[in-house]
């Protein structure tokens, strides 16, 4: 019965799926809401709302971005696993790294990986400002995704250093995306990025959202990101 809602939602927005993906999303809903009683992972817990505002929203990027096997994708500030977990369920051959500064959330996500038998997915604990200066992660990702972490200007300083030249950063935003973008122009070009396109979409039920696609054209100067906390306090 419940699965039916999810099926309808995905066919309404035009995303293809296998039955197994829906089962895994349902199971993730269960694990998320169960853990949310002890750990702040999501502000919304009602079934229909989670399906629309979290799951459908996270998956919308599949309509605009091509993913492929072997591609390395970073979800920065993943929190309860958004957009990383729903996307991983739909993209079994793509490699995902889920990063967050709160260890307890990552421990939960590792439980989810094992419960849902997700392969080729791992977590990294720490602040983006620090991790972006380690050789292991700097300019190592084809794609960096981020949802609900901070304003686009400070967020670009956290995300663009992780993107390979020729790769992309995709920012999930609400209906204020255009305004944020106009304030982030300077930061994006200082960091080696160039705005490609802003795609607006409407979630079933009416909420307006957008995805901002930023291409990494040049290497990011080594002085970025600045030390932890500075990008948010003093956006470029
Ligand atoms: N992306 C999720 C969570 C948003 S809440 C969603 O869409 O629901 C923001 C998350 O980003 C929190 O879990 C927080 O711990 C993490 N975060 C914020 N600043 C960060 C930083 N500088 N480095 C790493 N993680 C950060």
């Amino acid at each position: 019965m419940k699965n039916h809602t999810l099926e309808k939602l995905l066919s309404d927005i035009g995303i293809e799926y296998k039955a197994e993906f829906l089962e895994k999303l349902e199971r993730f809903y269960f694990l998320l809401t169960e853990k949310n009683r002890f750990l702040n992972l999501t502000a919304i817990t009602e079934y229909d709302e989670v399906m629309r505002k979290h799951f459908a929203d996270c998956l919308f990027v599949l309509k605009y971005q091509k993913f492929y096997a072997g591609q390395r994708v970073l979800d920065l500030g993943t929190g309860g696993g958004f957009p990383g977990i729903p996307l991983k369920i739909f993209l079994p051959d793509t490699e995902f790294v889920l990063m967050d500064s709160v260890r307890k959330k990552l421990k939960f996500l590792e439980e989810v990986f094992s419960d849902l038998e997700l392969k080729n997915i791992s977590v990294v604990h720490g602040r983006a400002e620090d991790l972006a200066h380690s050789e292991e992660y700097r300019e190592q990702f084809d794609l960096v995704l981020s949802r609900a972490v901070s304003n686009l200007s400070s967020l670009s300083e956290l995300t663009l250093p992780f993107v390979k030249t020729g790769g992309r950063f995709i920012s999930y935003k609400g209906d204020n995306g255009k305004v944020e973008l106009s304030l982030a122009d300077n930061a994006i070009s200082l960091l080696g990025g160039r705005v490609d396109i802003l795609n607006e979409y409407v979630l079933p039920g009416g909420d307006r959202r957008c995805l901002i696609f930023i291409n990494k054209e040049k290497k990011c100067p080594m002085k970025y990101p600045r030390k932890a906390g500075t990008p948010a306090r003093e956006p470029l």
Side-chain angles (χ1 to χ4, degrees):
M1 181 59 200
K2 278 185 167 178
N3 238 332
H4 186 72
T5 318
L6 199 49
E7 262 173 42
K8 177 153 182 352
L9 204 53
L10 293 171
S11 50
D12 281 354
I13 59 183
I15 291 174
E16 288 178 22
Y17 56 86
K18 293 185 185 165
E20 179 199 331
F21 299 167
L22 302 193
E23 284 158 23
K24 289 191 175 184
L25 280 181
E26 292 262 325
R27 176 77 186 150
F28 178 45
Y29 170 75
F30 170 78
L31 297 170
L32 177 77
T33 46
E34 195 185 49
K35 189 57 113 189
N36 204 52
R37 291 190 284 150
F38 314 103
L39 190 60
N40 182 19
L41 297 166
T42 169
I44 55 172
T45 52
E46 199 262 319
Y47 181 85
D48 283 344
E49 236 188 333
V50 172
M51 295 299 140
R52 285 190 307 110
K53 295 189 178 172
H54 279 331
F55 294 176
D57 183 40
C58 289
L59 293 167
F60 236 98
V61 72
L62 295 171
K63 292 176 68 77
Y64 303 108
Q65 175 67 37
K66 211 172 153 30
F67 289 84
Y68 49 88
Q71 190 183 31
R72 277 195 97 197
V73 181
L74 173 68
D75 175 8
L76 198 156
T78 188
F82 301 109
I85 298 273
L87 284 174
K88 177 64 200 177
I89 291 173
F90 277 60
L91 299 163
D93 299 324
T94 300
E95 183 188 339
F96 278 83
V97 174
L98 274 45
M99 185 180 283
D100 206 283
S101 53
V102 178
R103 199 186 286 278
K104 278 183 288 185
K105 295 183 182 177
L106 298 177
K107 193 167 171 294
F108 161 70
L109 294 177
E110 286 182 320
E111 288 163 17
V112 173
F113 303 164
S114 122
D115 191 289
L116 302 185
E117 298 181 343
L118 301 177
K119 305 275 179 288
N120 234 340
I121 183 165
S122 57
V123 298
V124 177
H125 173 245
R127 304 265 318 227
E129 292 93 323
D130 304 322
L131 294 164
H133 286 287
S134 94
E135 266 180 37
E136 206 180 338
Y137 304 113
R138 191 175 183 88
E139 313 214 306
Q140 296 298 316
F141 294 89
D142 302 293
L143 216 50
V144 176
L145 310 176
S146 192
R147 178 176 181 264
V149 173
S150 70
N151 71 74
L152 189 62
S153 177
S154 9
L155 186 60
S156 297
E157 185 170 351
L158 303 184
T159 55
L160 281 169
F162 289 103
V163 187
K164 288 179 188 168
T165 305
R168 256 185 163 180
F169 160 44
I170 306 177
S171 174
Y172 284 73
K173 288 288 174 192
D175 59 3
N176 57 339
K178 274 191 184 151
V179 176
E180 285 203 32
L181 185 53
S182 66
L183 297 170
D185 255 5
N186 180 49
I188 293 166
S189 68
L190 283 176
L191 296 156
R194 189 149 91 174
V195 180
D196 182 8
I197 193 164
L198 180 152
N199 280 314
E200 293 178 293
Y201 58 98
V202 181
L203 289 177
D207 300 278
R208 303 181 67 80
R209 303 276 168 96
C210 75
L211 286 165
I212 303 172
F213 294 77
I214 297 169
N215 292 339
K216 180 86 176 278
E217 295 206 320
K218 289 185 289 207
K219 278 199 159 198
C220 177
M222 283 307 292
K223 62 180 172 189
Y224 303 122
R226 291 164 294 166
K227 69 178 195 310
T230 310
R233 232 179 9 252
E234 301 163 24
L236 292 169

